[in-house]
Amino acid sequence: MSERLEDIAAAIVANGKGLLAADESSGTIKKRFDVIGVESTADSRRDYREMMFRAKDAMTKYISGVILYDETIRQKAADGTPLVDIIKASGAIPGIKVDAGAKPLAGFPGDTVTEGLDGLRERLADYYKLGARFAKWRAVIDIDTGKGVPSTNSISANTHALARYAALCQEAGIVPIVEPEVLMDGAHDIGTCYEVSKATLIKLYDELHAARVVLEGTILKPNMVLSGKTSGTVDSPEKVAEMTIKLFRETVPAAVPGIAFLSGGQEDEEATANLNAINAIGPHPWKLTFSYGRALQAAPQKAWSGKASNVAAGQAAFTHRAHMNYLAALGKWKASLEQAA
Ligand code: 5MM
């Protein structure tokens, strides 16, 4: 395929396809495996991810790319084939998480800033050789308005780091996925999520312009606009779609080819229904698809539960969720399709 940044970005969001976010760091995948009673070892992590990457229907029809963790991009399948080669053989694009995680922001209790810029130029050159053609960096913006979180300084520091990361990626021939996640944790209402997300995206695109990042060669990975998880409100998909699209029309330039959402702790079907409602009120200037971690993997993790005899069941569960989200990215999903499965 073409190596132009614009073409890679367009391929990531083409025709209803979306990303599998399988870039859980070792600590996060351990938490996921604890839930299904599986010990997290290099081999069990490899077996689990190999199961998904070998799910042929899901990977060829619905998944455009996979975000990998450093360990996984270097791992080989049980038969010795590099996992990256399995992903490429399916037609999907390998990507890599390059941030080093969110750390407390000095002087601003409750705020974090994502680290990982030191040595990033060299790491990107290495990841390019290993086959990565896109990367991901996640900034975490929490909401706790009573405590002044997020501070203006946290939004500035996080978006500045995202812009420096994006410029380094493009220099290396790698498409940056720019992920400013406004967390859904907390009791805030949907209007507060909208306001914080708006302040974040305005600052983000200021910083990307200042860093001379070519927007056509980027993908935005944002949260949807939602009420906080402990607010007691679950918004209707129509409300989420209206607020989310209003936000993007006000802040995301049309030069950005695609927006690939994180699921952020939504239930599997909720993340699908909301994505579908967002696409149902189109047309929009950007493609709107999924880059889900939990909302694509919770079901296959449960079905697999670490047993070789469950590989087919795990692949079926993964394929189903990928299919449902593919339909949602086209605005063609219906709740009845979930029951039918
Ligand atoms: C899959 O989870 C990713 C890695 O998380 P850690 O660095 O904390 O281990 C995460 O960045 C993910 O790509 C996004 O948050 C989207 O995942 P969700 O689960 O929100 O769809």
Side-chain angles (χ1 to χ4, degrees):
M1 79 163 265
S2 162
E3 295 273 288
R4 290 176 65 236
L5 293 173
E6 292 86 337
D7 295 335
I8 297 166
I12 288 173
V13 294
N15 310 322
K17 286 190 177 183
L19 296 174
L20 165 63
D23 58 311
E24 298 88 352
S25 50
S26 301
T28 303
I29 196 74
K30 183 183 178 310
K31 279 192 224 151
R32 306 278 182 265
F33 279 12
D34 283 349
V35 173
I36 54 170
V38 174
E39 191 191 349
S40 182
T41 64
D43 279 356
S44 66
R45 294 190 288 269
R46 187 274 315 277
D47 289 346
Y48 167 63
R49 287 165 171 151
E50 180 179 350
M51 170 191 81
M52 289 190 294
F53 305 161
R54 287 196 192 274
K56 206 164 164 223
D57 268 7
M59 294 296 293
T60 56
K61 295 182 190 164
Y62 313 131
I63 300 293
S64 57
V66 183
I67 314 174
L68 301 166
Y69 185 55
D70 182 77
E71 175 186 75
T72 324
I73 201 170
R74 303 171 192 280
Q75 258 176 339
K76 292 191 164 80
D79 70 1
T81 313
L83 293 179
V84 164
D85 289 354
I86 296 173
I87 294 168
K88 284 202 230 163
S90 73
I93 308 168
I96 181 77
K97 181 230 293 295
V98 299
D99 66 69
K103 307 286 159 60
L105 180 62
F108 293 83
D111 278 326
T112 60
V113 62
T114 297
E115 296 186 349
L117 288 169
D118 288 354
L120 182 55
R121 175 176 276 129
E122 292 72 25
R123 288 195 292 128
L124 285 166
D126 187 31
Y127 288 138
Y128 187 95
K129 281 191 210 135
L130 289 166
R133 291 297 177 271
F134 71 94
K136 194 203 82 173
W137 177 291
R138 173 172 171 255
V140 181
I141 309 288
D142 204 353
I143 298 181
D144 191 347
T145 39
K147 295 194 173 138
V149 173
S151 63
T152 309
N153 189 44
S154 147
I155 292 176
S156 294
N158 275 296
T159 54
H160 184 72
L162 277 165
R164 285 187 60 198
Y165 141 81
L168 282 164
C169 285
Q170 292 194 331
E171 180 190 87
I174 288 179
V175 167
I177 307 267
V178 177
E179 180 179 3
E181 175 173 7
V182 175
L183 295 179
M184 72 183 285
D185 302 346
H188 54 271
D189 61 15
I190 191 167
T192 304
C193 177
Y194 163 81
E195 291 298 342
V196 172
S197 302
K198 185 169 175 180
T200 303
L201 290 178
I202 288 172
K203 188 70 180 148
L204 174 66
Y205 283 100
D206 270 0
E207 291 284 354
L208 290 170
H209 281 298
R212 299 186 175 164
V213 171
V214 178
L215 296 184
E216 288 82 350
T218 66
I219 300 288
L220 176 66
K221 177 166 174 168
N223 52 286
M224 294 177 189
V225 178
L226 302 164
S227 297
K229 211 154 190 190
T230 53
S231 66
T233 304
V234 179
D235 311 293
S236 69
E238 291 71 28
K239 180 75 180 168
V240 173
E242 178 204 323
M243 297 288 281
T244 303
I245 290 299
K246 175 175 158 59
L247 168 71
F248 293 162
R249 293 193 81 88
E250 291 166 348
T251 58
V252 183
V256 174
I259 297 174
F261 290 101
L262 58 95
S263 58
Q266 297 178 64
E267 296 300 322
D268 296 0
E269 279 189 44
E270 182 188 5
T272 306
N274 286 339
L275 177 61
N276 187 66
I278 285 167
N279 281 298
I281 58 168
H284 304 301
W286 342 261
K287 294 273 175 56
L288 293 138
T289 189
F290 57 93
S291 174
Y292 293 163
R294 283 162 287 180
L296 269 177
Q297 296 186 67
Q301 272 160 14
K302 204 167 158 214
W304 171 65
S305 287
K307 295 196 177 67
S309 56
N310 288 338
V311 163
Q315 289 177 327
F318 172 49
T319 304
H320 175 65
R321 286 264 50 89
H323 184 201
M324 294 297 104
N325 287 307
Y326 160 86
L327 291 174
L330 297 171
K332 293 180 175 168
W333 173 85
K334 287 186 181 56
S336 56
L337 295 168
E338 300 281 354
Q339 281 103 51

